[in-house]
Amino acid sequence: MRKDREYNDGFTHKGMRKILVDTLRDKGITDEMVLDAINSIPRHFFLESAFEKIAYENRAFPISADQTISHPYTVAYQTQLLQIKKGDKVLEIGTGSIYQTTILAALGAQWVYTIERQKKLFDEQKEYYHFRKQYPNIKFFYGDGFKGLPTYAPFDKILITAAAPFVPPLLVEQLKPGGLMVIPVDEGDAQRMMRITKNLDGTLNEELFEEFSFVPMLQGKNV
Ligand code: SAH
């Protein structure tokens, strides 16, 4: 969220969003709830004003601290795999621009806990006041996502939005039996999208999907 601008969601923005939704549908996103959420959230609010006119192209953009807002296709893809249900308690690793976080909240998650390791990005949540009333169920944390949030665990859904070198064991622990985790796991040049299901008996199932390219998930916090 940027302080340096007027927040205006006009006819042109809405039109561009509709075209983006059609593009995502053509690329294979089928979950209408996810497409509705993308249609309703002004992505340009989460970018610097210089990118406003191109905010609805299916591409990533730089945000603070040398990080990126994920492609809309990536956001839609991960969210679709996560199957958010009303009342879910969700943990997101990598708050970044807060765009993905807002999509999760818009889908009816009861709580969205989101962790960011970059202090500069974490501090930008103070500019989230446009949405704070609408989404009081988002809780922001500055910390290391490898550790998760043991105090608030277990979670129905866990989403990792950075390239994980491995599946963090503490996050698996914090997943509820019956819960789902979506995580891009590093394979060198690209990451393989993985969905982990924790069965009711505590055993895990892994499913592999398309390749993506994320910024790295790093250990520790950055001041
Ligand atoms: N969901 C965000 C993605 C931002 S990019 C968006 O669409 O805007 C990934 C983010 O993960 C970056 O902001 C990066 O700083 C953060 N990140 C990387 N490793 C992390 C970790 N260990 N804990 C928390 N955040 C992490």
Side-chain angles (χ1 to χ4, degrees), residues 67-68 70 92 94 97 116-118 121 144-145 161 216-218:
Q67 303 302 316
T68 51
S70 300
E92 179 196 31
S97 66
E116 175 55 57
R117 69 179 290 280
Q118 294 280 353
L121 280 171
D144 179 0
T161 71
M217 181 177 186
L218 301 171

Side-chain angles (χ1 to χ4, degrees), residues 43 46 61 63-71 75 78 92-101 114-119 121 141-147 159-163 214-222:
R43 186 176 188 241
F46 300 82
F61 291 100
I63 54 175
S64 301
D66 294 329
Q67 303 302 316
T68 51
I69 179 172
S70 300
H71 281 66
V75 172
Q78 288 200 289
E92 179 196 31
I93 311 299
T95 315
S97 66
I98 327 179
Y99 175 65
Q100 167 78 75
T101 323
T114 183
I115 311 179
E116 175 55 57
R117 69 179 290 280
Q118 294 280 353
K119 183 75 165 61
L121 280 171
F141 295 82
Y142 168 51
D144 179 0
F146 278 96
K147 301 192 174 120
L159 175 62
I160 289 85
T161 71
F214 285 81
V215 297
M217 181 177 186
L218 301 171
Q219 307 265 359
K221 290 193 279 187
N222 195 7

Side-chain angles (χ1 to χ4, degrees), residues 67-217:
Q67 303 302 316
T68 51
I69 179 172
S70 300
H71 281 66
Y73 177 64
T74 309
V75 172
Y77 196 95
Q78 288 200 289
T79 311
Q80 179 165 282
L81 286 180
L82 212 52
Q83 300 173 0
I84 299 292
K85 308 254 176 329
K86 286 215 176 354
D88 273 354
K89 195 159 105 180
V90 184
L91 174 66
E92 179 196 31
I93 311 299
T95 315
S97 66
I98 327 179
Y99 175 65
Q100 167 78 75
T101 323
T102 306
I103 297 280
L104 297 172
L107 282 165
Q110 186 177 9
W111 291 109
V112 182
Y113 298 89
T114 183
I115 311 179
E116 175 55 57
R117 69 179 290 280
Q118 294 280 353
K119 183 75 165 61
K120 195 165 189 304
L121 280 171
F122 169 75
D123 285 342
E124 285 184 10
Q125 51 100 0
K126 292 179 193 131
E127 311 306 325
Y128 194 70
Y129 53 85
H130 306 272
F131 286 104
R132 212 177 286 282
K133 261 205 194 120
Q134 203 175 343
Y135 302 112
N137 52 334
I138 298 178
K139 301 290 172 209
F140 295 94
F141 295 82
Y142 168 51
D144 179 0
F146 278 96
K147 301 192 174 120
L149 289 173
T151 318
Y152 299 92
F155 301 98
D156 298 292
K157 309 281 160 70
I158 299 182
L159 175 62
I160 289 85
T161 71
F166 52 85
V167 177
L170 291 175
L171 295 185
V172 175
E173 250 174 53
Q174 292 172 33
L175 190 60
K176 207 180 257 182
L180 296 176
M181 180 189 303
V182 172
I183 177 166
V185 182
D186 227 325
E187 293 184 332
D189 286 348
Q191 297 88 51
R192 176 75 54 190
M193 196 63 77
M194 186 189 280
R195 179 166 61 188
I196 299 174
T197 307
K198 191 183 253 189
N199 299 312
L200 293 177
D201 63 3
T203 56
L204 304 176
N205 285 0
E206 287 179 6
E207 298 165 273
L208 294 174
F209 298 91
E210 286 176 32
E211 280 191 350
F212 289 84
S213 177
F214 285 81
V215 297
M217 181 177 186

